[in-house]
Amino acid sequence: MVQIDAGHFSLNASVELSEALAKPASYKLMYFQMLSNGATGRDLLAFGGVDWSSVAPANWNAEKGQTPFHLMPLLFITGENGKTATLAETVVIEYYLAKKFGLLGTNEYEESVIKMLHSSSAAVQNAFAGAVTWNAPEAKAGGLGFFTTATLPTWIATHERHLNDNGNNGHYLGDKLSLADIRTANAIEHFATQPESAALMAIVNKSLPLIKLRETVAKHPKMVQWRSGNEYKGYYEGNIAFFADPFAFMS
Amino acid sequence: MVQIDAGHFSLNASVELSEALAKPASYKLMYFQMLSNGATGRDLLAFGGVDWSSVAPANWNAEKGQTPFHLMPLLFITGENGKTATLAETVVIEYYLAKKFGLLGTNEYEESVIKMLHSSSAAVQNAFAGAVTWNAPEAKAGGLGFFTTATLPTWIATHERHLNDNGNNGHYLGDKLSLADIRTANAIEHFATQPESAALMAIVNKSLPLIKLRETVAKHPKMVQWRSGNEYKGYYEGNIAFFADPFAFMS
């Protein structure tokens, strides 16, 4: 359930809400009980080791009007000052958390590179959603064909180049986990939990650099701790169940 | 033409390139000769009143391999130190320029709100591209139906609420132009230059808050100066020509 009516921004409280964003005490991430666009935000919170929890809507159709864009994920950030700021839009949520937890490199250029890679991996997942998941039944096969022969191979080839440039150590930048590593790994987890996963993963799994990156993220001690728990496993299974028939869930 | 091989990031020059990003001397924006995903970046550069120019690829299929993700727009930033940093991905380019030119509000919460609104308006344009522009011919009508009855009305309703909250003065936040204003205005310009513009604009033009925002951006003195020139007019006409048959242009 939405804890507060977050449909309206609270611009006349912007000073106090900026303080809450600067000095957060606890976090609540609201999303469906699946991975998809909530996965990276939860991974970041788990990595941060902060006071956080996940919430799901009890009745999304009844509650979505209380959100800024009738969309999730949302991140509720309660500051040390007791005020709660709401962030919407995955890119805003993920940049905020990544900055907080030191996952954006050590200078402005590194931060820009990490954000470019992050954006590219969010885009390939969105492209799949448009071409296949939410496409009309009669157009899905064609959409999948274009995705697997053009969009996905281009994404893989370009990201392999950047991973090769860094010595193929499972990271894009140096030997440190970054927002880009986590976001790309989650694009792969998304592909691995789709009805079309056999076709998608046959292609992804030919890329040694991407396999290495996916494994490196999954083996990070903080990720092992979080992803081996029942909550994460529930989201993983939830992803498979949702995307088996996405229109049924949204009706 | 690509001025430099920008296909690889230059991470071992990250300190010098961060200096270039912090103290830019001139900018070059590379994109097709149309609006679409290059429009907001160009509007921002025009607003900033800096030393900038636009470049288009001479032969995109031959040149795209020299770009980070085989995609445009790209922003080349040459610093006072003579080094040139390349930014890819519209969100990274637009956040960078908006920060530089003071279009992100006055504190962290305002900046977050502006970025959320920006992200939502970029997303509605991307949703249209997936549902209609790049969809298979047999699926376009269905995609347009869903977009005009679900995606677009939801975007309008939620943005109207935020514009109403600010007193419907043509801005999302206070009485100042922001990145969100410019990005939303460009989503509308995009819809106005599509083959489906009659159906799209019949819906958008029922929204007085959005009409007011579009006009307010267009009437800003810096925008009047830039958009009344022949260069901008060429991109506007280029948008109409490209989207009349997008697959022809990409083959």
Side-chain angles (χ1 to χ4, degrees):
Chain A
M1 61 301 172
V2 181
Q3 302 297 302
I4 52 174
D5 181 353
H8 298 267
F9 295 126
S10 305
L11 287 162
N12 43 19
S14 75
V15 172
E16 289 161 308
L17 293 173
S18 292
E19 284 169 12
L21 292 172
K23 294 187 179 179
S26 66
Y27 304 83
K28 208 167 273 192
L29 190 137
M30 181 173 168
Y31 195 61
F32 297 111
Q33 291 179 313
M34 58 183 190
L35 297 176
S36 195
N37 288 326
T40 298
R42 292 194 199 101
D43 278 357
L44 292 170
L45 287 160
F47 174 84
V50 290
D51 177 2
W52 75 284
S53 59
S54 224
V55 282
N59 180 343
W60 176 237
N61 278 329
E63 293 172 53
K64 65 185 178 185
Q66 291 171 282
T67 69
F69 304 111
H70 302 190
L71 289 169
M72 297 188 291
L74 298 175
L75 182 65
F76 301 107
I77 300 145
T78 301
E80 293 174 4
N81 64 1
K83 303 292 175 188
T84 298
T86 303
L87 296 185
E89 296 292 296
T90 51
V91 64
V92 175
I93 292 170
E94 294 170 11
Y95 282 9
Y96 171 80
L97 293 173
K99 188 80 179 173
K100 220 46 133 185
F101 305 143
L103 292 165
L104 292 176
T106 60
N107 58 40
E108 188 175 1
Y109 182 72
E110 288 187 358
E111 177 168 333
S112 301
V113 169
I114 289 167
K115 288 178 170 177
M116 291 185 239
L117 292 158
H118 167 275
S119 174
S120 169
S121 292
V124 79
Q125 190 175 317
N126 283 339
F128 179 78
V132 182
T133 306
W134 301 110
N135 214 339
E138 67 273 19
K140 272 183 194 259
L144 183 64
F146 186 80
F147 186 80
T148 53
T149 57
T151 315
L152 185 61
T154 299
W155 176 73
I156 291 173
T158 56
H159 282 254
E160 278 183 342
R161 182 173 53 193
H162 301 306
L163 289 164
N164 282 330
D165 283 349
N166 195 46
N168 258 329
N169 63 353
H171 299 291
Y172 284 108
L173 209 148
D175 57 1
K176 237 188 110 197
L177 195 68
S178 76
L179 171 65
D181 299 349
I182 295 175
R183 188 63 193 82
T184 293
N186 275 310
I188 298 172
E189 301 307 338
H190 188 76
F191 295 144
T193 50
Q194 297 303 300
E196 303 80 8
S197 67
L200 298 168
M201 294 308 291
I203 298 166
V204 172
N205 281 331
K206 282 186 192 141
S207 170
L208 296 180
L210 283 175
I211 294 171
K212 174 83 176 166
L213 178 141
R214 182 190 187 193
E215 287 176 358
T216 303
V217 171
K219 284 180 181 166
H220 189 285
K222 293 273 181 65
M223 290 299 107
V224 170
Q225 191 184 359
W226 156 239
R227 292 187 179 181
S228 61
N230 284 334
E231 185 180 350
Y232 181 86
K233 286 178 187 166
Y235 299 138
Y236 196 90
E237 296 304 320
N239 226 52
I240 295 170
F242 178 94
F243 288 102
D245 189 358
F247 289 102
F249 275 80
M250 296 310 280
S251 63
Chain B
M1 63 299 177
V2 181
Q3 302 298 302
I4 52 175
D5 180 353
H8 298 266
F9 295 125
S10 305
L11 287 162
N12 45 20
S14 76
V15 172
E16 289 161 308
L17 293 173
S18 292
E19 284 169 11
L21 292 172
K23 294 187 179 178
S26 65
Y27 303 84
K28 209 167 271 192
L29 190 137
M30 179 172 169
Y31 195 61
F32 297 111
Q33 291 178 315
M34 58 185 190
L35 298 176
S36 195
N37 287 325
T40 297
R42 292 195 200 100
D43 278 355
L44 292 169
L45 288 160
F47 174 84
V50 290
D51 177 3
W52 75 283
S53 59
S54 222
V55 283
N59 180 343
W60 175 237
N61 278 328
E63 293 171 54
K64 64 184 178 185
Q66 290 172 282
T67 70
F69 304 112
H70 301 190
L71 290 169
M72 297 188 288
L74 298 175
L75 182 66
F76 302 108
I77 299 145
T78 301
E80 292 175 2
N81 64 2
K83 304 292 175 188
T84 298
T86 304
L87 297 186
E89 296 291 295
T90 51
V91 64
V92 175
I93 292 170
E94 293 169 12
Y95 282 10
Y96 172 79
L97 292 173
K99 189 81 180 172
K100 220 46 132 188
F101 304 142
L103 292 165
L104 292 177
T106 60
N107 58 39
E108 188 175 0
Y109 183 72
E110 288 187 359
E111 177 168 333
S112 301
V113 168
I114 289 167
K115 288 178 171 178
M116 291 184 239
L117 292 159
H118 167 276
S119 174
S120 169
S121 292
V124 78
Q125 190 175 316
N126 283 340
F128 179 78
V132 181
T133 308
W134 301 110
N135 214 341
E138 68 274 19
K140 271 183 195 260
L144 182 63
F146 186 80
F147 186 79
T148 52
T149 57
T151 315
L152 185 60
T154 298
W155 177 72
I156 291 173
T158 56
H159 283 254
E160 278 184 343
R161 183 171 53 192
H162 301 306
L163 290 163
N164 282 331
D165 283 348
N166 195 48
N168 260 330
N169 64 353
H171 300 292
Y172 284 109
L173 209 146
D175 57 1
K176 240 189 106 197
L177 195 68
S178 76
L179 171 65
D181 298 349
I182 296 175
R183 188 64 193 82
T184 293
N186 275 309
I188 297 173
E189 301 306 338
H190 189 76
F191 295 144
T193 50
Q194 297 301 302
E196 302 80 8
S197 67
L200 298 169
M201 294 310 290
I203 298 166
V204 172
N205 281 334
K206 283 187 193 139
S207 170
L208 296 180
L210 284 174
I211 294 172
K212 174 83 176 167
L213 178 140
R214 182 191 187 192
E215 286 176 358
T216 303
V217 170
K219 284 179 182 167
H220 188 285
K222 292 275 182 63
M223 289 301 106
V224 169
Q225 189 184 1
W226 157 238
R227 292 187 178 179
S228 61
N230 284 333
E231 186 180 349
Y232 181 86
K233 286 178 186 164
Y235 299 139
Y236 196 91
E237 296 303 322
N239 225 53
I240 294 171
F242 178 93
F243 288 103
D245 189 358
F247 289 102
F249 274 80
M250 297 309 280
S251 64

